[in-house]
Amino acid sequence: MNNPHKNARTTYHNRVLIIDRVLNEGRSVHSVAADFGISARTVYKWLARFEEHGYAGLHSASSRPHSSPYQLPDSWIECIR
């Protein structure tokens, strides 16, 4: 998924730059965060995703929950229709 949501502060390209500046240029996390107008926590998040998944981890992910435990059963939904 390459289309970031409308409130995303970074894109895939920005995330690659963030990783490059911290890991290859040796810049501090706080300095890079200030450059991009994001928090240091966000930079650490992208660093962790990069270390776990490589460049594939820098793509936008769905924010949809993995499960919906309180979702109505299918039989109830059929009754409503």
Side-chain angles (χ1 to χ4, degrees), residues 2 6-7 16 18-19 27-29 43 45 52-54 63 70:
N2 283 330
K6 67 179 181 173
N7 294 325
V16 170
I18 289 167
I19 297 303
R27 303 257 317 270
S28 74
V29 168
V43 174
K45 173 183 71 174
E52 185 174 348
H53 302 289
S63 59
Y70 299 108

Side-chain angles (χ1 to χ4, degrees), residues 41-54:
R41 180 178 177 177
T42 300
V43 174
Y44 283 119
K45 173 183 71 174
W46 291 117
L47 285 168
R49 289 187 187 177
F50 178 76
E51 288 186 14
E52 185 174 348
H53 302 289

